[in-house]
Amino acid sequence: MAASRPFFRDIVFYMVAVFLTFIMLFRGRVTLPWALGYLGLYVFYVVTVILCTWIYRWQRRGSLVYSMPVTPEILSDSEEDRVSSNTNSYDYGDEYRPLLFYQETTAQILARALNPLDYMKWRRKSAYWKALKVFKLPVEFLLLLTVPVVDPDKDDRNWKRPLNCLHLVISPLVIVLTLQSGTYGVYEIGGLVPVWVVVVIAGTALASVTFFATSNSQPPRLHWLFAFLGFLTSALWINAAATEVVNILRSLGVVFRLSNTVLGLTLLAWGNSIGDAFSDFTLARQGYPRMAFSACFGGIIFNILVGVGLGCLLQISRSHTDVKLEPDGLLVWVLAGALGLSLVFSLVSVPLQCFRLSRVYGFCLLLFYVNFLVVALLTEFGVIHLKSM
């Protein structure tokens, strides 16, 4: 069952983003105020989500206070289970603590933090999983070495002093070498020293101060700043990978004589969405269907507003001219029209179902996507053209 207010909020913002995209395609160019408007609309969307969540929690807290009985009552079964589970977890936590404690050395902490392989899991997994794991080990090791992770659910918040000090040197170096394909990193300051050398020196100095001012057992007070460094580094890794994927798709388009629209419609769209689809499916299977349903809209709103807005803003800042759009005729309008129709269909059908999403609704969405894909491909290959419409 979908939540009514979040559904209306998300689909209204989604439709506004699509309508703005319609206007942008009709105008054929993107100006600086238009790009800033895209980013501003996403900021407004995030603020709206936060305010709606805060208002809902405040209303729910008030209703619980007014409905609370004066006399104490016996705990319900779920509350008893929660209390008993907390008690049991605490007791078992004390029981499974090691009898003999030893202090790990800095080298041991670094080796354990950089090890992407769990030997306990390795022994009980299948051969297929092991083969796939071996293939992923270099990438996982590279991410561990370059992307700091702050985990508030852990007691030490994932503080690994030697590794985090290495992050202060390696992560900024990765940022300057991946930003704009390394253009800023190799730029020489005053014609003498490259930027990446300055970044390494500054990072080494900061890492040295952090190493001698902290301990292995206790995270520092400003450990939360590593989360921002990890976010920025991971975002630039994703940007570098996406750039290479786009270059490969362009090569395939040249070889098979396919337009950029078809490549974006099929290979690039599936590549971008398959991870989100599996994540949402897993969330729904684990008992969080509303979170998965909201992520379907929130992720696409982010792609439209931030992806288009930030991309156009960077292009305008580099060229100092408006971004000109060259739509591929009828196909672009087929794409935009199909997206608008799907939103209208959801806006009408979901309230008619009293926000209870059935299998028929899912089947209709899949059928709609298949029909849209067939029409789009027929339009691209000239079977459907403007004169016959």
Side-chain angles (χ1 to χ4, degrees):
M1 183 174 181
S4 57
R5 288 181 292 183
F7 171 78
F8 281 120
R9 178 199 63 210
D10 294 340
I11 203 167
V12 165
F13 273 97
Y14 196 0
M15 295 182 72
V16 170
V18 173
F19 179 72
L20 292 178
T21 306
F22 266 112
I23 299 177
M24 184 177 63
L25 291 173
F26 180 77
R27 295 172 72 243
R29 60 191 180 94
V30 182
T31 60
L32 180 60
W34 201 265
L36 293 176
Y38 260 56
L39 297 176
L41 180 60
Y42 183 75
V43 173
F44 180 65
Y45 168 72
V46 173
V47 172
T48 303
V49 171
I50 295 174
L51 288 178
C52 290
T53 304
W54 181 82
I55 293 173
Y56 172 74
R57 290 180 178 178
W58 178 75
Q59 291 178 345
R60 186 177 181 183
R61 190 182 302 115
S63 62
L64 289 176
V65 169
Y66 285 114
S67 62
M68 185 179 296
V70 179
T71 57
E73 295 182 356
I74 301 175
L75 293 176
S76 61
D77 294 338
S78 59
E79 292 174 337
E80 289 180 353
D81 293 340
R82 191 181 303 115
V83 172
S84 62
S85 63
N86 292 336
T87 305
N88 292 336
S89 62
Y90 175 79
D91 295 338
Y92 282 118
D94 292 339
E95 181 180 351
Y96 283 105
R97 289 176 181 173
L99 297 177
L100 299 177
F101 293 94
Y102 69 96
Q103 190 73 24
E104 284 186 316
T105 63
T106 301
Q108 289 175 335
I109 294 176
L110 179 62
R112 182 166 57 86
L114 287 175
N115 183 17
L117 186 62
D118 187 352
Y119 296 105
M120 298 286 292
K121 185 182 293 186
W122 173 271
R123 287 186 295 179
R124 64 174 182 266
K125 289 294 184 178
S126 62
Y128 171 77
W129 185 91
K130 293 179 180 179
L132 184 61
K133 185 67 174 179
V134 170
F135 181 76
K136 295 190 299 182
L137 279 178
V139 178
E140 293 179 356
F141 176 79
L142 183 63
L143 294 178
L144 288 173
L145 187 62
T146 58
V147 181
V149 177
V150 178
D151 190 353
D153 294 331
K154 293 184 178 180
D155 294 334
D156 59 352
R157 290 179 289 177
N158 203 38
W159 165 250
K160 304 293 185 293
R161 185 175 69 147
L163 180 58
N164 288 135
C165 292
L166 280 179
H167 286 152
L168 293 176
V169 181
I170 299 176
S171 296
L173 181 62
V174 171
I175 291 173
V176 297
L177 291 180
T178 55
L179 187 63
Q180 292 298 316
S181 301
T183 304
Y184 298 134
V186 299
Y187 176 77
E188 294 183 352
I189 302 176
L192 298 175
V193 182
V195 173
W196 69 267
V197 175
V198 178
V199 170
V200 170
I201 295 175
T204 303
L206 183 59
S208 301
V209 173
T210 303
F211 184 82
F212 291 107
T214 58
S215 63
N216 292 331
S217 58
Q218 184 67 26
R221 187 177 304 174
L222 298 179
H223 181 227
W224 56 272
L225 291 176
F226 282 90
F228 294 95
L229 180 61
F231 173 78
L232 185 59
T233 309
S234 59
L236 288 175
W237 270 125
I238 294 173
N239 177 70
T243 302
E244 296 304 321
V245 170
V246 170
N247 293 333
I248 294 175
L249 290 178
R250 287 179 178 175
S251 302
L252 292 176
V254 173
V255 172
F256 296 102
R257 298 181 180 179
L258 298 176
S259 67
N260 293 331
T261 307
V262 171
L263 292 175
L265 174 67
T266 55
L267 298 179
L268 186 59
W270 297 336
N272 285 339
S273 303
I274 194 68
D276 295 338
F278 277 108
S279 300
D280 298 338
F281 180 76
T282 302
L283 284 174
R285 292 292 298 271
Q286 291 180 352
Y288 303 98
R290 293 186 177 181
M291 184 186 300
F293 194 77
S294 299
C296 293
F297 290 97
I300 301 178
I301 293 174
F302 177 84
N303 291 335
I304 293 179
L305 298 179
V306 178
V308 176
L310 186 59
C312 293
L313 182 63
L314 294 176
Q315 182 66 26
I316 293 173
S317 63
R318 285 197 301 263
S319 60
H320 302 286
T321 57
D322 297 341
V323 177
K324 294 183 179 180
L325 303 177
E326 297 179 358
D328 295 338
L330 181 61
L331 181 57
V332 171
W333 300 108
V334 170
L335 300 179
L339 181 57
L341 287 176
S342 66
L343 291 176
V344 172
F345 171 74
S346 296
L347 182 62
V348 174
S349 61
V350 172
L352 289 179
Q353 302 176 79
C354 298
F355 299 94
R356 296 184 180 273
L357 308 182
S358 61
R359 294 182 179 180
V360 177
Y361 172 73
F363 177 77
C364 291
L365 290 180
L366 293 176
L367 184 62
F368 183 88
Y369 177 75
V370 172
N371 292 329
F372 147 73
L373 190 60
V374 171
V375 172
L377 292 177
L378 292 178
T379 303
E380 168 62 19
F381 294 116
V383 179
I384 300 177
H385 44 83
L386 192 59
K387 292 181 180 181
S388 62
M389 296 297 291

